[in-house]
Amino acid sequence: MAKFIVDKNKIKQNVNKLQEAFKNKGLDFKLFYSVKTNYSKPVLEAIRESGSEYEVLSDFEWQLVKEFKPKAVVLNGPAKNIKLVTDILNNVDTLYFNIDNDTDFEIIKSVKADFKDKLKVGLRVYLNADGIWNRFGYDISSGALLEKVKKSSWPISGIHFHFSTNNFKISNYELLLKKIQEFANEAKITLEYLDIGGGLPASSEFIYQQETYVKLPELISNLFLSVKIISEAGRNVVADAMDLETRVISKKKIADNKYQVNIDTNIMHFPSAYEKKFWVEYKIAKENEKEEVELEIYGNSCMQIDKIADSVLISQEPDVEDIVTIHNIGAYSYSQASNFITPVPEIETNE
């Protein structure tokens, strides 16, 4: 049966790489791992072992991380309620509560004053520009937002933003960060933290190395050196730290030196397949007569679109029990996988 394989050491290396990039610029930086990205237990364990904390969006996610006894948690999203907030506050030293909508302003009115030293309230904002998510939070340029802040029952001590998945542009960061400075001054907010959200490219995406690990930390240090920096990175930490090991279950010759093979998983088990950022490794189980052949690799489902790879070259005719490993599927695979045709693969670690 197919199985997910988590590289816990890789996760910790990725966390350290991100932390060092910001700390080397003199920033007080902390990773609050985005639990929705991959909430498998080995991943959550590796995050705890790295000394990082968690960002959650629901009671379901909170219950998953509660057993790791986090000292601090970021709470985001539209599913907040006073019961969840109170439970978190009773179990952590600090809760970063980022206001996402008008209902959130009402929720914090119900928080007991006893928690005043534990609750840090932030405001989620967005940049009103093409390609940037605007479903959550408030337009940073809106005059109405200033009025909401003035009427808030709890002091605002942080600002949070998230551009959108795979929308990584230093120019966007620079523009929004300067607007945040202007807004904080106008609203008379003393910023204790800046939550730069998610959307950071995977650690292995080399074309973004300079932007992610040099330009972004430098930009933030120039503008917010004395402010605590929170990152809710998920993809950056786990994308290249989980693989899916599968086996060939059937084959069909479709032309001279060309075959179709089916494996014991399908694209509903790793929805990140649609991003086309994975790569495939083929291992022969049993050596036979050498003759280079070309493969098309399909999943085991009934869907025409369930194609894993095209034009894979191997050194001999494929056979049942050959191993196909699908690499770099750690982000948004396990957390979105469904029992379709066969169950969601089990999880192992490479330790």
Side-chain angles (χ1 to χ4, degrees):
M1 180 180 173
K3 57 187 177 183
F4 292 113
I5 301 176
V6 176
D7 187 338
K8 292 176 67 175
N9 288 328
K10 182 64 176 175
I11 290 172
K12 287 180 272 190
Q13 289 168 11
N14 288 344
V15 171
N16 186 63
K17 180 180 177 181
L18 189 64
Q19 285 181 162
E20 290 304 306
F22 286 84
K23 288 184 176 181
N24 286 342
K25 295 296 181 181
L27 291 163
D28 178 9
F29 177 89
K30 188 77 172 180
L31 171 70
F32 283 72
Y33 170 71
S34 174
V35 173
K36 66 180 179 295
T37 312
N38 187 318
Y39 52 74
S40 64
K41 190 163 187 177
V43 169
L44 298 182
E45 288 174 343
I47 294 300
R48 180 74 281 179
E49 291 164 12
S50 76
S52 301
E53 301 290 3
Y54 306 96
E55 178 250 356
V56 301
L57 294 102
S58 65
D59 183 66
F60 167 71
E61 292 184 358
W62 163 239
Q63 296 304 324
L64 291 175
V65 305
K66 190 175 181 179
E67 67 173 279
F68 297 106
K69 302 186 185 307
K71 293 182 179 179
V73 165
V74 169
L75 179 61
N76 280 326
K80 305 182 193 77
N81 58 71
I82 189 60
K83 182 180 178 182
L84 172 59
V85 170
T86 301
D87 190 32
I88 296 175
L89 285 167
N90 279 324
N91 286 278
V92 301
D93 294 335
T94 307
L95 169 60
Y96 296 95
F97 179 109
N98 290 325
I99 291 175
D100 180 76
N101 50 56
D102 293 353
T103 304
D104 286 350
F105 276 107
E106 295 301 314
I107 289 173
I108 61 172
K109 289 181 181 179
S110 302
V111 177
K112 294 180 180 178
D114 297 351
F115 293 122
K116 66 178 181 178
D117 294 329
K118 284 189 170 187
L119 182 63
K120 302 293 184 183
V121 176
L123 189 67
R124 180 164 183 170
V125 300
Y126 63 82
L127 188 64
N128 192 2
D130 292 340
I132 294 176
W133 288 346
N134 59 11
R135 174 187 165 191
F136 303 102
Y138 298 89
D139 181 353
I140 186 69
S141 300
S142 169
L145 178 58
L146 190 60
E147 291 304 310
K148 290 181 182 295
V149 171
K150 290 178 179 178
K151 294 177 181 178
S152 175
S153 62
W154 209 279
I156 303 297
S157 58
I159 298 289
H160 166 52
F161 63 88
H162 188 316
F163 286 118
S164 59
T165 300
N166 292 328
N167 185 349
F168 186 84
K169 295 180 180 178
I170 288 294
S171 58
N172 282 340
Y173 277 90
E174 184 169 12
L175 179 57
L176 183 53
L177 289 172
K178 288 181 178 178
K179 285 183 176 292
I180 288 172
Q181 278 187 323
E182 294 169 3
F183 179 82
N185 288 335
E186 189 174 4
K188 294 181 172 55
I189 296 173
T190 301
L191 280 182
E192 295 182 35
Y193 75 92
L194 181 67
D195 183 345
I196 64 173
L200 295 181
S203 177
S204 57
E205 292 187 47
F206 65 91
I207 61 173
Y208 293 110
Q209 295 296 302
Q210 185 74 5
E211 283 77 5
T212 305
Y213 299 101
V214 178
K215 292 183 180 179
L216 181 58
E218 188 171 278
L219 173 63
I220 293 176
S221 69
N222 288 338
L223 298 172
F224 294 96
L225 185 59
S226 60
V227 176
K228 182 179 183 65
I229 305 300
I230 289 173
S231 173
E232 297 167 10
R235 178 188 309 276
N236 176 270
V237 173
V238 298
D240 63 347
M242 177 184 271
D243 301 328
L244 182 55
E245 185 178 293
T246 75
R247 294 184 184 276
V248 173
I249 56 174
S250 58
K251 65 178 182 179
K252 178 174 67 176
K253 189 172 185 177
I254 56 176
D256 289 341
N257 299 320
K258 189 168 185 178
Y259 291 80
Q260 284 182 357
V261 298
N262 299 286
I263 57 178
D264 60 349
T265 191
N266 59 71
I267 59 173
M268 300 303 288
H269 293 160
F270 65 112
S272 61
Y274 297 109
E275 294 185 355
K276 306 298 182 186
K277 292 183 178 181
F278 62 89
W279 61 279
V280 169
E281 179 184 8
Y282 195 97
K283 293 181 180 178
I284 301 294
K286 183 179 180 181
E287 296 289 339
N288 289 315
E289 183 179 345
K290 299 297 183 182
E291 180 185 16
E292 188 174 87
V293 298
E294 182 181 358
L295 301 182
E296 293 178 353
I297 301 176
Y298 290 84
N300 62 7
S301 78
C302 54
M303 301 185 296
Q304 179 73 14
I305 62 171
D306 192 11
K307 192 173 196 177
I308 310 301
D310 222 347
S311 192
V312 175
L313 298 178
I314 64 172
S315 61
Q316 66 180 49
E317 179 182 333
D319 208 349
V320 172
E321 295 302 316
D322 286 351
I323 298 172
V324 178
T325 302
I326 306 166
H327 294 272
N328 294 4
I329 51 83
Y332 303 102
S333 282
Y334 177 79
S335 57
Q336 294 183 340
S338 62
N339 291 324
F340 184 67
I341 307 296
T342 49
V344 172
E346 295 183 354
I347 298 176
E348 293 183 3
T349 68
N350 63 357
E351 294 181 335

